[in-house]
Amino acid sequence: MAKAKQLEELKAKIIEDKVTPELAEQAAQLVFGDGSPDAEIVFIGEAPGKNEDLKGVPFVGAAGKFLDEMLDSANLQRKDVYITNIVKYRPPNNRDPEPDEKAAFWPYLLKQIAIIKPKIIATLGRHSGQVFLPDLRISADHGQPKRIHVTMDGKEESIIILPLYHPAAALYNGGLRQTLLEDFQSVPKLLGVSN
Ligand code: URA
């Protein structure tokens, strides 16, 4: 089955399975993902904010604008990559997602990744990074790719995790803006690495 169709079915399954019903009830809609199902790189943020909740698309607010700039700096566009979040409903008042909410979405996130089969997962922020690299210290480890092995659909797959700061952090810390842009420059080279 085509990847786009598999992703559509996964999206429908999240709704059918009533994942995090309390979050679903308060959110305007599910924010599943955006971009190419054939992307070689998937960006994973934490959870949708207000703008994302209204539009149903991840990273369309101020942080998203900076993410678009980062993509542009590497000659990439949204249609070349795939963007999603760990938690796919907006938490009330933009609070951090709870561990049980992240855990509830984990199997669906893994399935989403298994469908796309990217070479690289770029995690945006500490929370997203620690889902894949539990010992991550973002201040020391940002920009340093790590190869991990995850079991997807019963098969062990090797994948590169590139831990990045969250683009929202660059909005209130100007220094991080440059750091993020610099860390991002490794993306085209990593995309050239074969699995
Ligand atoms: N921050 C995130 O982590 N995800 C979004 O989709 C928007 C802002």
Side-chain angles (χ1 to χ4, degrees):
M1 198 196 308
K3 288 184 178 185
K5 175 103 172 77
Q6 289 182 61
L7 288 172
E8 273 307 309
E9 288 191 3
L10 180 62
K11 181 177 175 184
K13 181 124 176 66
I14 292 175
I15 296 168
E16 190 188 307
D17 289 352
K18 299 199 184 335
V19 180
T20 64
E22 297 84 10
L23 286 186
E25 202 173 292
Q26 299 185 57
Q29 57 192 315
L30 178 75
V31 180
F32 183 70
D34 184 35
S36 166
D38 294 311
E40 291 193 324
I41 181 162
V42 170
F43 292 86
I44 303 180
E46 208 173 306
K50 189 170 177 206
N51 293 295
E52 291 76 21
D53 184 49
L54 290 174
K55 295 212 171 121
V57 180
F59 283 97
V60 288
K65 251 181 117 178
F66 184 47
L67 179 59
D68 288 345
E69 252 182 68
M70 287 158 53
L71 290 172
D72 194 44
S73 76
N75 274 328
L76 290 167
Q77 295 175 16
R78 275 188 179 239
K79 65 172 176 52
D80 305 319
V81 304
Y82 191 88
I83 304 172
T84 189
N85 285 300
I86 311 170
V87 167
K88 292 171 174 28
Y89 291 112
R90 180 193 183 201
N93 304 314
N94 293 350
R95 66 156 167 76
D96 283 347
E98 303 282 353
D100 64 323
E101 293 164 348
K102 293 191 233 180
F105 275 104
W106 174 243
Y108 299 91
L109 179 63
L110 266 189
K111 180 81 193 160
Q112 202 172 13
I113 296 164
I115 294 169
I116 299 169
K117 289 197 178 38
K119 278 188 185 172
I120 305 174
I121 292 175
T123 56
L124 301 171
R126 183 168 55 92
H127 294 283
S128 167
Q130 284 177 344
V131 168
F132 295 92
L133 305 168
D135 297 330
L136 177 79
R137 282 166 49 239
I138 191 75
S139 56
D141 301 332
H142 66 89
Q144 295 182 35
K146 289 219 164 51
R147 196 177 273 280
I148 63 159
H149 295 90
V150 277
T151 305
M152 292 190 272
D153 284 343
K155 249 181 66 197
E156 188 164 289
E157 304 276 358
S158 147
I159 199 154
I160 295 171
I161 307 293
L162 177 65
L164 298 174
Y165 278 111
H166 196 289
L171 301 178
Y172 49 80
N173 178 341
L176 283 187
R177 192 184 159 84
Q178 197 51 36
T179 305
L180 253 168
L181 286 168
E182 280 167 19
D183 287 349
F184 208 80
Q185 294 317 305
S186 63
V187 168
K189 205 168 83 209
L190 287 173
L191 286 172
V193 174
S194 60
N195 268 357

